[in-house]
Amino acid sequence: MKTKAVRLYGKNDLRLEEFELPKIKEDEILAKVVCDSICMSSYKASHEADIHKRVPRNIAEKPVIIGHEFAGELVEVGSKWSSQFKAGDKFSIQPALNYEQGPVGVLSAPGYSYQFIGGDATYVIIPNEVMANGCLLKYEGNGYYPASLSEPLSCVIGAMHANYHTTPGSYKHTMEIKEGGNMAILAGVGPMGLAAINYAIHRTDRKPKMIVVTDIDQARLDRAASLYSPEEAAKNGIELKYINTGKMENPVEGLKALTDGKGYNDVFVFAPVAPVVEQADAILAFDGCLNFFAGPAKTDFKAQFNFYNVHYAYTHVVGTSGGNTDDMKEAIAMMSKGLDPAGLVTHVGGINAVIDTTLNLPSIPGGKKLIYTHIEMPLTPIAEFEAKGKENPVYAELHKLCAKNKGLWNTEAEAYLLANADKL
């Protein structure tokens, strides 16, 4: 079976190539990838290449396929796994394989470490360790892109599960965000912040009483409010506020005032910016937990932290960047029941758009860039479908289908694109 894939050979050296996959072994599975969502982690891996903790040192001789937020269909199942999976099953993959060091000598993960599996490919071979670690996950919902986006959603699910609070007079720590507490999501209207808002207002097992989302870009705040409105949150018993801290004379005082001066029990930082981290520290309540979610590119990143409050107010910090398999199962279950992550997606493209998009991801505005690997299509903002539709009827129809859904990507648009992409 031939595959077409984007492979990493060295720093900023990505190549779109067609090559032959080996015949699968009895403990492997052949799969068709339908779509992959490009992540900042792929940008970092492409720029760091063989010094990245998940990338093998010999990629110049044995290049790896990039992309780890992908979904598709199983094509051929090796005998070892035929009782659990069958051809035609839709799937997503948890790329964090839950062991310290994999067979290729690094913190192995599909999309970073393997020659024959990664999201930016047409066909892949799923190795035994993915199934052995319970990381091949069936998806029974509509379409494919929700399954692809279950990986980023699992990251914010994991972040909220990782927060903790203390019990006065004991050494017992209670995991999770505080029930009925105040939550702040700082720099929170990028793709991952939107995922956090979506999850926080729709989960049923634990809820804050108030969520404050901040940013300094009013247009992005307005878009977030249109996708996940205060009215929608109120239906679930949550007071949701969008705040432009760039317009506040004293953001710390202004944000604390929203809590009657008490501060926030759970604060999530979605930008690796020292002033944002310090703002998060300053608005923590007694026993407040700061979750530093956004991974910095610089290894010497630092920010000041108030250790007087650590000692006397029991404030504390955790850091998360990914979810585990249970988090991803939770994400897939929510997707299968109708939770739609489409608000994260702002651009759609084909496999030919992967290299430029990955290498230049920080400079491309908007949210998630969704790639359909069996088509060729320039990376295109959904907001430009209408204008492009004046010259191409495929874009015109995509615009109509998205317009029916608040201007968002959806499974109907996905099916239409897959059926008509050759006319682009």
Side-chain angles (χ1 to χ4, degrees):
M1 167 83 66
K2 285 189 179 295
T3 188
K4 184 181 287 187
V6 176
R7 298 198 284 183
L8 178 64
Y9 281 82
K11 292 182 180 179
N12 301 321
D13 187 359
L14 293 174
R15 307 177 196 177
L16 176 59
E17 301 173 316
E18 187 173 55
F19 56 95
E20 192 77 25
L21 290 173
K23 183 176 177 57
I24 67 166
K25 302 172 185 174
E26 64 177 14
D27 61 356
E28 296 176 331
I29 295 176
L30 177 67
K32 173 185 178 180
V33 177
V34 175
C35 58
D36 176 64
S37 172
I38 296 181
C39 177
M40 273 295 294
S41 295
S42 292
Y43 163 81
K44 293 174 187 176
S46 299
H47 281 263
E48 295 176 9
D50 57 0
I51 67 171
H52 191 281
K53 65 181 181 179
R54 293 192 182 280
V55 177
R57 305 297 172 250
N58 62 343
I59 54 172
E61 296 79 33
K62 295 182 178 181
V64 294
I65 302 175
I66 65 165
H68 60 276
E69 299 178 357
F70 59 105
E73 286 185 6
L74 304 184
V75 175
E76 182 183 349
V77 179
S79 59
K80 178 178 179 179
W81 301 106
S82 60
S83 62
Q84 296 182 39
F85 302 98
K86 65 181 186 301
D89 283 347
K90 292 197 291 186
F91 74 90
S92 185
I93 284 180
Q94 162 59 272
L97 298 184
N98 298 333
Y99 48 74
E100 292 184 1
Q101 184 164 293
V104 292
V106 293
L107 297 176
S108 300
Y112 299 91
S113 320
Y114 290 89
Q115 289 183 272
F116 303 125
I117 182 172
D120 293 314
T122 52
Y123 293 91
V124 297
I125 294 176
I126 306 175
N128 177 68
E129 52 263 32
V130 172
M131 286 73 75
N133 284 279
C135 293
L136 178 60
L137 306 175
K138 293 182 184 179
Y139 172 66
E140 297 177 348
N142 294 325
Y144 293 92
Y145 77 85
S148 174
L149 293 171
S150 64
E151 197 281 334
L153 180 60
S154 77
C155 296
V156 299
I157 291 174
M160 296 198 186
H161 292 337
N163 269 30
Y164 72 92
H165 298 279
T166 62
T167 303
S170 81
Y171 300 107
K172 180 181 179 181
H173 290 177
T174 302
M175 301 304 298
E176 264 288 2
I177 62 169
K178 187 173 180 62
E179 174 70 27
N182 296 318
M183 177 188 293
I185 300 176
L186 305 188
V189 290
M192 298 308 292
L194 292 176
I197 300 165
N198 193 8
Y199 174 69
I201 66 175
H202 288 113
R203 65 183 298 193
T204 58
D205 60 322
R206 182 175 289 260
K207 298 178 182 179
K209 69 177 180 182
M210 181 171 73
I211 301 174
V212 173
V213 181
T214 74
D215 205 85
I216 57 174
D217 187 323
Q218 191 60 48
R220 280 161 47 108
L221 283 163
D222 292 342
R223 179 177 184 269
S226 71
L227 298 176
Y228 310 114
S229 69
E231 294 76 19
E232 181 181 356
K235 293 177 183 177
N236 294 312
I238 297 171
E239 184 181 8
L240 175 61
K241 297 178 181 291
Y242 291 95
I243 303 294
N244 187 334
T245 51
K247 295 181 178 180
M248 303 176 78
E249 184 176 345
N250 188 319
V252 169
E253 288 185 3
L255 292 173
K256 289 192 74 171
L258 297 174
T259 68
D260 295 325
K262 295 178 181 178
Y264 295 82
N265 308 100
D266 298 281
V267 181
F268 295 86
V269 176
F270 279 87
V273 179
V276 179
V277 177
E278 291 164 5
Q279 183 183 101
D281 173 32
I283 65 173
L284 286 170
F286 183 87
D287 189 37
C289 185
L290 188 161
N291 188 305
F292 182 57
F293 182 92
K298 295 182 178 180
T299 57
D300 60 349
F301 177 84
K302 294 180 178 67
Q304 292 189 352
F305 200 77
N306 188 322
F307 280 88
Y308 180 92
N309 287 341
V310 170
H311 188 85
Y312 289 106
Y314 296 87
T315 58
H316 45 275
V317 62
V318 300
T320 58
S321 62
N324 61 25
T325 304
D326 286 338
D327 299 325
M328 198 155 172
K329 288 178 179 178
E330 183 179 347
I332 289 176
M334 293 184 76
M335 304 284 196
S336 298
K337 293 177 182 177
L339 182 76
D340 191 349
L344 279 68
V345 180
T346 57
H347 295 63
V348 179
I351 195 168
N352 55 304
V354 170
I355 294 176
D356 286 345
T357 301
T358 303
L359 295 180
N360 298 289
L361 194 58
S363 63
I364 304 174
K368 279 289 185 182
K369 284 70 184 177
L370 186 62
I371 298 296
Y372 287 92
T373 61
H374 285 260
I375 72 171
E376 291 197 358
M377 175 185 179
L379 186 70
T380 307
I382 295 172
E384 293 182 8
F385 284 171
E386 183 176 18
K388 291 183 177 293
K390 294 176 181 178
E391 297 181 0
N392 189 306
V394 174
Y395 284 114
E397 184 62 22
L398 288 173
H399 167 67
K400 290 179 183 177
L401 295 172
C402 291
K404 293 193 303 182
N405 192 47
K406 294 184 179 180
L408 301 179
W409 195 240
N410 54 84
T411 55
E412 192 177 359
E414 176 182 79
Y416 179 82
L417 175 63
L418 294 174
N420 294 278
D422 60 331
K423 300 171 187 173
L424 285 172

